[in-house]
């Protein structure tokens, strides 16, 4: 890479083209002094648009199917997060308007297929194409690629819909189908409070990894405190305790956002009241049951709990995470309990924090011990107001792509050349989002050399 030649597909081979996105690449790149960092940004920022978007129409309306990268299915969480870096460009760019409208509509239809599924097929009548899902012991419906129940999947649907409306004022995609999907999401969250029993969801998978299945199809016993239960984490790994605190706090934030939409956009006052009431109940449950004291005496948010007083402290790089609560607007960045928690996450108090010759950072059980996720480094920087932390993050990310010009799922703490997922669009876009944020708020950090 002597001249840092672009690793983007040739213009004619790109899946989606946005003039606004191209202008943004030029604008931000002009602020970046370090040639390798500039090259990384120009490769990563448009990766979702270049490689993962399938735009079309359904019943005469825009439709967008956005794959994760090397897995050709749509994850609710990933696809919503993949579009986020372009949100500020959507208002004045017709192709991006179509893309956001199309994904919001696609998400609504997916939720109405199965609100417990995390991933979907492009063809809503097709069986799963994922080999690992074909024999799962659960109710697999046509159009579902994987059926791991994760609270955050539905939160991301609400977050994308709210933030697009808020950023653009566009009301076009919020039709009767969207309203029904929003009501279904709130009803699913209520069912998974499990006050009247475990609810309808069951899932088991034959695997040599315990993180791929659940005890008795529903997880370990819990005391019903008002917290929403989740079978799986944002990493698609099984929860140790079914009440995942980052997921519950994300639900609180997005329930309040859909309540605002229901009251002023959707003309659904009952939905507004229901969503706001559920948000208040879950928030109170988090504060009553979702904190713990570390062995050194610090009070922090737990990662998971069972409601019986058993808590797990750890963090996983996948968002929502404890580290990502401020980034996701679940809590203010200056909230003292979150600040203490974030400090503990980025330390040996977290069993999934690793430090090696190449870098330090947060990983998770999904890839295993000693593996650092660039996503965790990026989210820490996005949440920080410390120039030193942000500069260190940019330098570390620049040094960990192993010559590929893209971010990866995870890399070995001692050797970035040992990495997973060469094509993982979410983290590429997240890196682009970080660089844009730095360009807008701290351009002096992009004027530095990071060699």
């Amino acid at each position: 890479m002597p001249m840092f030649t672009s690793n983007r597909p040739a213009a004619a081979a790109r899946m989606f083209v946005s003039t606004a996105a191209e202008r943004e690449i030029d604008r931000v790149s002009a602020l970046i002094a370090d040639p390798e960092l500039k090259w990384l940004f120009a490769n990563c920022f448009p990766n979702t648009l270049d490689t993962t978007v399938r735009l079309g129409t359904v019943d005469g309306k825009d439709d967008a199917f956005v794959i994760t990268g090397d897995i050709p299915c749509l994850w609710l969480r990933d696809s919503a997060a993949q579009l986020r870096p372009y949100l500020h460009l959507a208002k004045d760019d017709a192709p991006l308007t179509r893309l956001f409208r199309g994904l919001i509509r696609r998400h609504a239809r997916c939720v109405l297929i199965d609100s417990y599924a995390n991933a979907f097929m492009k063809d809503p009548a097709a069986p799963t194409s994922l080999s690992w899902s074909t024999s799962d012991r659960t109710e697999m419906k046509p159009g579902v690629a994987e059926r791991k129940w994760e609270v955050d999947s539905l939160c991301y649907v609400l977050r994308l819909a709210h933030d697009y409306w808020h950023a653009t004022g566009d009301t076009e995609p919020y039709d009767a189908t969207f309203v029904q999907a929003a009501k279904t999401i709130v009803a699913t969250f209520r069912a998974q409070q499990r006050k009247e029993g475990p609810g309808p969801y069951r899932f088991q998978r034959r695997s040599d990894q315990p993180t791929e299945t659940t005890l008795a199809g529903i997880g370990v016993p819990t005391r019903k405190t008002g917290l929403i239960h989740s079978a799986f984490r944002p990493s698609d790994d099984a929860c140790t305790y079914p009440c995942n605190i980052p997921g519950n706090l994300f639900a609180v934030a997005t329930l309040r956002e859909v309540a605002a939409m229901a009251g002023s956009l959707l003309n659904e006052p009952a939905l507004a009241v229901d969503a706001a009431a559920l948000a208040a109940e879950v928030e109170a449950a988090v504060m009553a049951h979702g904190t713990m004291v570390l062995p050194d005496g610090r009070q922090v948010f737990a990662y998971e709990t069972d409601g019986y007083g058993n808590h797990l402290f750890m963090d996983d790089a996948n968002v929502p995470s404890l580290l990502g609560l401020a980034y996701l607007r679940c809590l203010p960045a200056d909230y003292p309990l979150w600040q203490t928690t974030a400090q503990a996450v980025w330390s040996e108090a977290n069993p999934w924090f690793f430090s090696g010759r190449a870098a330090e950072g947060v990983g998770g059980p999904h890839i295993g011990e000693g593996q650092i996720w660039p996503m965790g480094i990026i989210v820490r920087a996005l949440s920080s107001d410390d120039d030193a932390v942000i500069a260190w993050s940019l330098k570390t990310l620049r040094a960990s792509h192993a010559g590929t010009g893209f971010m990866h799922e995870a890399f070995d703490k001692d050797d970035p050349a040992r990495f997973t997922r060469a094509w993982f669009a979410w983290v590429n876009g997240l890196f682009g989002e970080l660089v844009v944020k730095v360009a807008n708020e701290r351009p002096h950090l992009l004027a530095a050399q990071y060699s």
Side-chain angles (χ1 to χ4, degrees):
M1 47 180 196
M3 299 298 294
F4 298 112
T5 304
S6 173
N7 283 356
R8 297 178 65 184
R14 294 171 190 170
M15 302 301 298
F16 182 92
V17 176
S18 162
T19 301
E22 297 301 323
R23 286 198 301 263
E24 185 73 337
I25 294 169
D26 292 341
R27 178 187 76 87
V28 174
S29 294
L31 301 174
I32 305 174
D34 186 287
E36 189 167 356
L37 189 65
K38 181 184 296 190
W39 175 65
L40 273 174
F41 171 73
N43 289 333
C44 290
F45 180 74
N47 187 241
T48 283
L49 304 180
D50 286 350
T51 66
T52 71
V53 171
R54 280 72 175 144
L55 196 64
T57 59
V58 171
D59 297 330
K61 300 289 186 178
D62 292 317
D63 172 60
F65 191 81
V66 180
I67 67 172
T68 69
D70 53 11
I71 306 175
C73 298
L74 177 147
W75 261 253
L76 295 177
R77 170 188 57 253
D78 293 44
S79 58
Q82 284 167 243
L83 291 200
R84 181 169 186 79
Y86 318 116
L87 192 59
H88 66 295
L89 306 173
K91 186 176 183 179
D92 300 315
D93 188 82
L96 284 177
T97 295
R98 289 191 62 204
L99 176 56
F100 276 91
R101 286 176 174 177
L103 188 59
I104 290 166
R105 290 184 178 279
R106 169 69 73 153
H107 278 178
R109 294 195 303 274
C110 287
V111 169
L112 295 180
I113 290 172
D114 187 353
S115 64
Y116 286 101
N118 58 323
F120 293 84
M121 305 294 295
K122 188 174 190 296
D123 180 356
T128 182
S129 62
L130 303 179
S131 59
W132 58 83
S133 294
T134 54
S135 60
D136 289 345
R137 295 174 60 187
T138 191
E139 185 184 357
M140 288 290 287
K141 299 177 181 179
V144 170
E146 187 172 62
R147 195 173 190 250
K148 288 181 170 179
W149 160 237
E150 302 163 1
V151 170
D152 69 281
S153 292
L154 300 186
C155 295
Y156 273 104
V157 170
L158 298 179
R159 174 56 59 84
L160 175 72
H162 171 271
D163 284 5
Y164 174 72
W165 168 61
H166 191 265
T168 66
D170 183 16
T171 63
E172 194 270 349
Y174 307 103
D175 56 10
T177 300
F178 177 81
V179 170
Q180 189 57 43
K183 291 179 178 178
T184 299
I185 289 171
V186 176
T188 302
F189 285 164
R190 285 199 177 277
Q192 286 304 312
Q193 289 180 294
R194 300 187 185 177
K195 293 179 179 178
E196 308 301 327
Y201 177 78
R202 301 288 186 281
F203 182 98
Q204 288 184 300
R205 173 178 290 174
R206 292 181 177 175
S207 173
D208 57 5
Q209 291 291 335
T211 52
E212 286 297 305
T213 192
T214 65
L215 179 66
I218 59 172
V220 302
T222 58
R223 176 174 286 152
K224 309 311 180 273
T225 63
L227 291 168
I228 302 167
H229 295 60
S230 189
F232 291 88
R233 299 167 177 164
S235 59
D236 299 337
D237 294 333
C239 294
T240 298
Y241 297 128
C243 299
N244 177 272
I245 298 305
N248 272 265
L249 284 169
F250 195 21
V252 170
T254 55
L255 282 165
R256 287 182 173 145
E257 290 165 356
V258 80
M261 295 178 71
S264 62
L265 170 65
L266 305 177
N267 193 28
E268 291 286 340
L271 174 60
V273 171
D274 191 19
L278 181 56
E281 181 184 358
V282 175
E283 182 179 50
V286 168
M287 300 313 296
H289 303 281
T291 67
M292 61 182 291
V293 177
L294 295 177
D296 62 12
R298 287 180 293 174
Q299 186 179 26
V300 294
F301 284 109
Y303 187 70
E304 289 170 356
T305 184
D306 62 0
Y308 283 105
N310 297 305
H311 297 90
L312 173 64
F313 185 75
M314 57 163 278
D315 206 17
D316 189 296
N318 284 267
V319 186
S321 57
L322 293 175
L323 190 63
L325 289 175
Y327 165 68
L328 288 177
R329 308 196 306 267
C330 302
L331 295 166
D334 61 356
Y335 192 76
L337 184 58
W338 176 76
Q339 290 187 332
T340 303
T341 303
Q343 291 165 4
V345 163
W346 205 268
S347 78
E348 292 182 357
N350 173 15
W352 296 101
F353 173 80
F354 306 109
S355 182
R357 292 190 298 273
E360 65 178 28
V362 178
H366 196 69
I367 300 300
E369 192 168 359
Q371 304 301 300
I372 293 171
W373 288 56
M375 186 174 293
I377 296 171
I378 296 167
V379 167
R380 183 181 184 229
L382 283 167
S383 307
S384 179
D385 61 1
D386 185 332
D387 276 9
V389 168
I390 298 167
W392 175 87
S393 301
L394 292 172
K395 182 175 183 178
T396 302
L397 293 163
R398 175 190 176 279
S400 65
H401 64 89
T404 67
F406 293 101
M407 298 292 105
H408 302 127
E409 179 184 52
F411 64 88
D412 186 271
K413 64 183 179 64
D414 296 317
D415 182 6
R418 296 168 57 190
F419 62 81
T420 61
R421 296 191 72 175
W423 179 19
F424 184 26
W426 179 10
V427 73
N428 286 325
L430 196 65
F431 173 75
E433 182 179 344
L434 170 62
V435 176
V436 170
K437 185 174 189 284
V438 174
N440 292 340
E441 298 176 5
R442 302 168 188 271
H444 61 280
L445 295 180
L446 297 184
Q449 294 288 337
Y450 288 97
S451 57

